[in-house]
Amino acid sequence: MGVVEFNQEPEKPVEIRAMIHNLSDSADYELRICDYGNINGACEHVGGIFNPLETKRASLATTPYTTVKDLNGRGAIPSISSNVDGICHISGIELEQNLAGADSMIGRSLSLFEKDDTVPIACCVIGSSNPWTLLPEKSDDWALKSLKIESFIS
């Protein structure tokens, strides 16, 4: 269904490039980084939007450091559109996420939703296309971290 590439340089947001095909003609969609990498059961168990700036209190109530509108820059690309051929090209989008560390996107899911819907129509687990990509080029340099998602699983 498509290829999505995430790239990150030190102390910068994650940049996204993608080409997604076999979509409805001239339709609106959303991409979301979701909490869980469990894509079993037609993407029913991916969870909510992953926001690494949220914390859980002892009462298990979520206390975001940011407002809901700020989630768009954290774990969601709220508006992408397909062309008349059912293809969507994405570039120049940045998310305040990380490809490494305790709040990494790796192992979580990337889900495709129809605009304003709550049920994903496709999803995949975010993983590295190259096992060496996340290792430093030099022992003291984590200069470039990137990963590539090979395809969506629907």
Side-chain angles (χ1 to χ4, degrees), residues 132-149:
W132 301 105
T133 304
L134 298 176
L135 297 177
E137 293 176 12
K138 301 176 199 167
S139 61
D140 60 347
D141 180 24
W142 286 90
L144 178 63
K145 305 175 198 87
S146 68
L147 61 96
K148 187 175 184 180
I149 296 173

Side-chain angles (χ1 to χ4, degrees), residues 93-111:
I93 301 288
E94 294 182 341
L95 288 178
E96 293 182 37
Q97 293 278 349
N98 287 304
L99 298 182
D103 61 352
S104 173
M105 296 168 24
I106 296 176
R108 301 185 189 284
S109 62
L110 178 67
S111 300

Side-chain angles (χ1 to χ4, degrees), residues 69-147:
K69 70 177 184 171
D70 288 335
L71 282 174
N72 294 339
R74 306 259 184 256
I77 302 169
S79 185
I80 58 174
S81 299
S82 60
N83 62 21
V84 294
D85 297 319
I87 299 171
C88 177
H89 294 274
I90 301 169
S91 65
I93 301 288
E94 294 182 341
L95 288 178
E96 293 182 37
Q97 293 278 349
N98 287 304
L99 298 182
D103 61 352
S104 173
M105 296 168 24
I106 296 176
R108 301 185 189 284
S109 62
L110 178 67
S111 300
L112 179 69
F113 293 79
E114 290 181 343
K115 183 75 174 166
D116 299 323
D117 202 350
T118 58
V119 179
I121 58 173
C123 63
C124 63
V125 176
I126 299 171
S128 176
S129 63
N130 179 346
W132 301 105
T133 304
L134 298 176
L135 297 177
E137 293 176 12
K138 301 176 199 167
S139 61
D140 60 347
D141 180 24
W142 286 90
L144 178 63
K145 305 175 198 87
S146 68
L147 61 96

Side-chain angles (χ1 to χ4, degrees), residues 37-93:
N38 183 352
I39 60 172
N40 293 322
C43 307
E44 296 172 353
H45 308 289
V46 295
I49 294 174
F50 174 61
N51 179 3
L53 298 180
E54 272 184 348
T55 184
K56 302 280 183 182
R57 292 186 184 170
S59 67
L60 299 179
T62 300
T63 307
Y65 290 115
T66 58
T67 62
V68 173
K69 70 177 184 171
D70 288 335
L71 282 174
N72 294 339
R74 306 259 184 256
I77 302 169
S79 185
I80 58 174
S81 299
S82 60
N83 62 21
V84 294
D85 297 319
I87 299 171
C88 177
H89 294 274
I90 301 169
S91 65
I93 301 288

